Amino acid sequence: MRRFGRASEMPDALAGTLGRCGSLEVRLARGPREIWRAQRLRYRVFYQEMSAKPDVVSRMFRRDADRFDAACDHLLVIDHAARGRFGGVRPKVVGTYRLMRQGAAMRLGGFYTQGEFDLGPMIARHPGLRFLELGRSCVLEPYRGKRTIELLWRGICAYIRHHRIDAMFGCASFDGTDPDALAVPLSFLHHNARSTGAWGAAARPDRHVAMDRLPAEVLDAKLALRQMPPLIKAYLRLGARFGTGAVVDRQFGTTDVLVILPVAAIDQRYFDYYGDEGQHYAA
């Protein structure tokens, strides 16, 4: 994938602001320094706030970084009214999403998600479609509200329209590594939102953890939804389905599920809400 070091090198439709809400702006990272800022945010959320275990390099540089970053585009939410440590205004990256298109993934030997889930058969069943991996989503704690999430989706909406993406997928995580403690929401996803047929995909056999831990007839749907992380509930509202089997990621302290979201499955009202080419500005 071609990297974008300056705004003038980006496609015109993606070079500038993709959405604003008050002091918050969503746009793509412009060069290595802004990618570094996204990596610092990921470190703060995943390693300092949550229970991920950093390796020596990550701990030394206080960044969450891997070999996929250079091949991805990085969506940022920036607060232009944030204050620095000495009180002055200093714009700050407060939310991010990592976007990896299929061509870049193939040059690296596959998507990040393929370390946990077997995507090959699903992708092979759709040879003419363009796939996009969504990953490394995180938002700084004070900003975890509707405005930031909607801005991220405005940016994604603009991106998928510009690149004519047909389907998105990626890992979404529950905090914790005990699947039995997550039996209610995992079983709900398995029985009510499992992707099958042409869009079916499963956890790799060596990492597969069963999600149907409780029978459908004993599930309390309201309780299941209360136990869902906000990101997974947002995917459900958009029409996403989930792969068969979960994966326990002990480095990040999470139980991961595979999200599968064909663009054609998204209700048109969401595209209308997020605005033409993502340029609509939030109220």
Side-chain angles (χ1 to χ4, degrees):
M1 180 185 296
R2 184 181 175 194
R3 297 309 312 140
F4 301 132
R6 300 187 302 275
S8 61
E9 294 176 327
M10 292 185 188
D12 289 344
L14 299 178
T17 294
L18 303 178
R20 289 200 74 128
C21 181
S23 65
L24 301 180
E25 175 193 19
V26 63
R27 61 171 172 79
L28 291 177
R30 299 166 182 167
R33 179 167 179 79
E34 290 196 339
I35 294 173
W36 176 85
R37 293 172 68 190
Q39 293 168 336
R40 289 293 298 267
L41 172 64
R42 284 159 30 187
Y43 184 91
R44 180 170 176 178
V45 173
F46 297 148
Y47 294 93
Q48 294 183 318
E49 179 182 334
M50 301 173 69
S51 54
K53 300 178 178 65
D55 58 24
V56 173
V57 175
S58 296
R59 186 182 294 110
M60 180 182 302
F61 292 101
R62 300 171 70 81
R63 292 190 302 150
D64 170 60
D66 63 23
R67 68 187 183 89
F68 295 95
D69 278 326
C72 296
D73 288 313
H74 299 260
L75 193 64
L76 310 177
V77 173
I78 300 168
D79 183 0
H80 290 282
R83 297 283 176 176
R85 66 175 66 180
F86 301 112
V89 174
R90 185 178 182 184
K92 177 168 65 176
V93 173
V94 300
T96 187
Y97 241 116
R98 189 168 78 175
L99 312 176
M100 180 179 240
R101 284 180 278 155
Q102 192 169 0
M106 295 308 100
R107 288 191 288 274
L108 283 177
F111 291 99
Y112 172 87
T113 305
Q114 288 178 284
E116 297 187 353
F117 296 91
D118 183 8
L119 303 177
M122 181 187 73
I123 293 173
R125 289 192 291 267
H126 303 280
L129 301 190
R130 298 179 178 90
F131 285 85
L132 175 70
E133 179 185 68
L134 304 177
R136 286 301 202 270
S137 170
C138 66
V139 175
L140 198 62
E141 197 278 332
Y143 295 87
R144 285 179 202 153
K146 182 179 178 182
R147 294 195 311 163
T148 310
I149 298 301
E150 287 189 352
L151 281 173
L152 286 168
W153 276 102
R154 290 186 194 282
I156 291 170
C157 193
Y159 192 90
I160 64 176
R161 281 178 157 164
H162 178 82
H163 290 293
R164 294 180 293 164
I165 299 299
D166 298 297
M168 297 174 279
F169 65 85
C171 294
S173 300
F174 290 88
D175 194 23
T177 58
D178 180 4
D180 287 330
L182 302 167
V184 173
L186 289 177
S187 298
F188 179 88
L189 292 178
H190 177 88
H191 293 301
N192 297 282
R194 186 160 62 99
S195 189
T196 59
W199 291 104
R204 290 174 48 151
D206 58 322
R207 305 195 67 181
H208 185 283
V209 171
M211 294 173 63
D212 54 338
R213 311 188 82 78
L214 297 171
E217 57 269 21
V218 306
L219 286 175
D220 181 334
K222 290 184 178 179
L223 175 62
L225 291 171
R226 283 200 300 270
Q227 293 181 4
M228 296 281 181
L231 181 62
I232 293 180
K233 284 195 282 191
Y235 283 132
L236 280 168
R237 285 193 295 269
L238 286 168
R241 290 295 179 262
F242 295 80
T244 300
V247 171
V248 172
D249 185 337
R250 299 202 178 276
Q251 180 191 356
F252 278 84
T254 59
T255 298
D256 299 340
V257 293
L258 174 64
V259 182
I260 302 168
L261 182 55
V263 173
I266 302 175
D267 194 302
Q268 181 60 39
R269 68 187 181 193
Y270 288 105
F271 285 110
D272 294 340
Y273 179 75
Y274 291 125
D276 184 34
E277 290 295 330
Q279 296 296 337
H280 180 75
Y281 283 66

